Amino acid sequence: MRIVYVVGTRPNFVKTAPVIAALRARLPQGRHALVHTGQHYDRLMSDVFLEELGVPAPDYMLEVGSGSHAQQTARVMERLEPVLTEERPDLVLVPGDVNSTMAAAVTAAKLGIPIGHIEAGLRSFDRTMPEELNRIVTDQLSDHLFVHSPEANDNLHAEGVPAERIHLVGNTMIDTLVALEGRFRAAGAARRLGVEPGAYVLVTLHRPALVDGPLLRQAIGQLAALAREMPVVFPVHPRTRKTMEALDPSHPGLLLSEPLGYLDFLSLLADAGAVLTDSGGIQEETTYLGIPCFTLRDNTERPITIEAGTNTLLGLDPAAIASIPARLAERRSPPEPPPLWDGHASARIADVLA
Ligand code: UD1
C-alpha cells in the first residue's frame, strides 16, 4: 500500500503525526510519503512542531507560502499534481480544513486517487468562514471520512454521504496530546513565564473575522482590562501580529510572546485557569484537559465541546471578554472527555485502512 500524507499548517501536523506513526507500524512494507505544502513556513509555526511531534522529515516540500486563497490553493494543486503522478499512491490522506487540505483533495480526486479525510464532518454552517468551504469540498470528494464525534456523523448523513464511507474513530489531535502528556506536564512553562499555575488566562486569536479588522483593537482593550484581574498570556499568531503592528494598540499588562512550541503551549494550556480562543483545536484540547474555554466566535463546528461543559461561545463581540471572571466563578467540576477521545483514534484509522 502506498500512502501520501499532505500537511501544511500547524494544526495539520498535530492531527496527522499519530496517524503516520500508526500506519507505518501497521504497514511497515508500505510506502509512506509526506508532503509539506509550506502554507505555514516560519520555524516557530512549522519546524519546531514537526521536531517535537517526532514527524520524519517531509519527502516533498512544496513551499507555497502565503497568498490569497486562490493563489495558495492553486499553488498547492500545481505543485502537488506531479508528486502524485510520480508517487501513484493508493490513498492520499489529508487532515482538517485548511486551504492545503482542500487543494490536495481536489488534486487527488481529479487524478482518480482515493482520499481519506481526518476530522471529517465538522460544520459551523457559516459559509463566510474559509474553513467551512474547505470542509464541504474535502468531505464531498473523500472516500474514507474519519469522524471524531456523533454530530460530524449526522452532518455527513444529512449531506448524503453514504454510511459505508464514514468511520467514527475518535480524535487524532487528542492522540498526540495523550502521547505528549508526560513531557508537557513536566515542561513548567507557566513558572518560566512568571505566572502561577491555575491563575492566568491563556489567549490565542488568529481568525480573519477577528484579527484582520477593527475587532482586534477592541479585543486588546478588553484583554488589558482583564489583565488587571488576572495575568493574561498571549502567544501571537503571525497573522495577528501583522494587524497588531499596523494598529499599534497599547497593551498594558498583557504577556505577549512569539508563537510557542507545542510542548510549551500544551503546558500553558493544561495549567491555565481559563482559555480565550477562536481556534478549533484548542476548543477540543481544553475539553480533553477539563479547562474552561471561552470561544470568541458566533458559532462553532465543534458543538461537542459545548455539550461537554468546558466550552462557552462568547460571540464575536470582544465586549463579552469582560464577563469571563464572573462566568469562571459559576463553573462546575470538570467533565469527562467525549467517547473515543482516548489516545487510540489513529490506531482505529489504521484498522480501517489496513
Ligand atoms: C490557517 C488556516 C486556519 C487555521 C490556521 C492555523 C486556511 C484558510 N486557514 O490560517 O484554518 O486555523 O492556519 O494557524 O487555510 N504567516 C507567517 N508565517 C507562517 C504562516 C503565516 O508569517 O508561517 C502569515 C502570513 O503573513 C499570512 C498570514 O500569516 O499571510 C496568514 O497565514 P495563512 O496560511 O494564510 O492562514 P492562517 O491565518 O495561518
Side-chain angles (χ1 to χ4, degrees):
M1 181 136 167
R2 302 174 63 82
I3 305 177
V4 169
Y5 308 81
V6 184
V7 295
T9 66
R10 203 165 52 165
N12 281 178
F13 311 142
V14 179
K15 292 164 192 171
T16 310
V19 181
I20 300 175
L23 279 163
R24 274 182 185 274
R26 193 66 57 93
L27 302 166
Q29 310 299 337
R31 163 85 175 147
H32 301 269
L34 179 61
V35 178
H36 185 339
T37 67
Q39 178 171 345
H40 283 175
Y41 45 85
D42 285 357
R43 190 173 148 69
L44 292 174
M45 298 293 285
S46 173
D47 310 10
V48 170
F49 266 65
L50 295 173
E51 284 158 23
E52 289 184 348
L53 294 168
V55 175
D59 299 276
Y60 300 91
M61 300 287 286
L62 305 185
E63 296 182 346
V64 302
S66 303
S68 71
H69 287 275
Q71 287 168 340
Q72 208 170 42
T73 307
R75 278 187 221 135
V76 173
M77 292 178 68
E78 218 169 33
R79 297 178 194 184
L80 182 62
E81 188 177 53
V83 172
L84 296 183
T85 307
E86 186 188 312
E87 286 282 337
R88 305 218 140 274
D90 302 298
L91 181 73
V92 169
L93 263 179
V94 295
D97 57 13
V98 302
N99 287 344
S100 298
T101 310
M102 193 235 348
V106 174
T107 309
K110 295 219 169 189
L111 291 171
I113 302 167
I115 301 161
H117 185 202
I118 303 164
E119 195 194 79
L122 301 188
R123 295 291 180 273
S124 63
F125 303 100
D126 173 2
R127 290 198 179 193
T128 66
M129 280 180 83
E131 295 83 359
E132 183 76 350
L133 305 177
N134 292 339
R135 291 178 201 120
I136 292 167
V137 172
T138 305
D139 284 340
Q140 280 298 322
L141 298 178
S142 291
D143 301 87
H144 306 282
L145 296 103
F146 299 110
V147 305
H148 74 32
S149 55
E151 291 94 337
N153 231 331
D154 297 344
N155 293 335
L156 294 173
H157 282 303
E159 290 176 17
V161 176
E164 62 270 19
R165 292 192 186 174
I166 306 170
H167 312 281
L168 178 56
V169 292
N171 193 327
T172 67
M173 184 170 238
I174 301 302
D175 289 3
T176 295
L177 194 155
V178 169
L180 295 178
E181 189 148 13
R183 288 167 71 196
F184 75 72
R185 294 272 181 205
R191 294 215 187 274
R192 261 186 282 131
L193 283 177
V195 291
E196 245 342 273
Y200 59 90
V201 181
L202 177 64
V203 177
T204 81
L205 303 172
H206 77 285
R207 276 189 202 281
L210 195 62
V211 307
D212 283 2
L215 287 180
L216 183 60
R217 183 190 287 279
Q218 294 173 33
I220 303 282
Q222 290 290 339
L223 290 173
L226 182 63
R228 291 198 282 275
E229 295 191 44
M230 56 202 298
V232 173
V233 178
F234 184 5
V236 183
H237 186 286
R239 173 172 212 122
T240 313
R241 170 82 62 189
K242 258 188 177 172
T243 320
M244 279 175 76
E245 278 164 7
L247 286 172
D248 195 24
S250 67
H251 28 69
L254 303 188
L255 289 163
L256 300 184
S257 78
E258 295 285 299
L260 299 171
Y262 200 42
L263 289 170
D264 275 350
F265 185 76
L266 288 178
S267 168
L268 278 179
L269 199 62
D271 280 342
V275 173
L276 175 74
T277 193
D278 61 355
S279 149
I282 293 168
Q283 295 172 52
E284 296 181 355
E285 288 160 344
T286 47
T287 289
Y288 179 81
L289 294 166
I291 304 290
C293 177
F294 298 93
T295 298
L296 208 52
R297 287 176 44 187
D298 287 331
N299 52 52
T300 178
E301 59 289 328
R302 291 156 161 98
I304 194 165
T305 60
I306 295 178
E307 290 152 26
T310 47
N311 189 16
T312 306
L313 267 190
L314 285 184
L316 193 56
D317 182 354
I321 292 172
S323 70
I324 289 178
R327 289 174 190 259
L328 273 177
E330 292 165 2
R331 205 175 114 71
R332 302 180 274 119
S333 56
E336 290 290 304
L340 304 180
W341 293 26
D342 59 358
H344 303 294
S346 303
R348 291 185 203 103
I349 290 178
D351 288 343
V352 170
L353 293 175

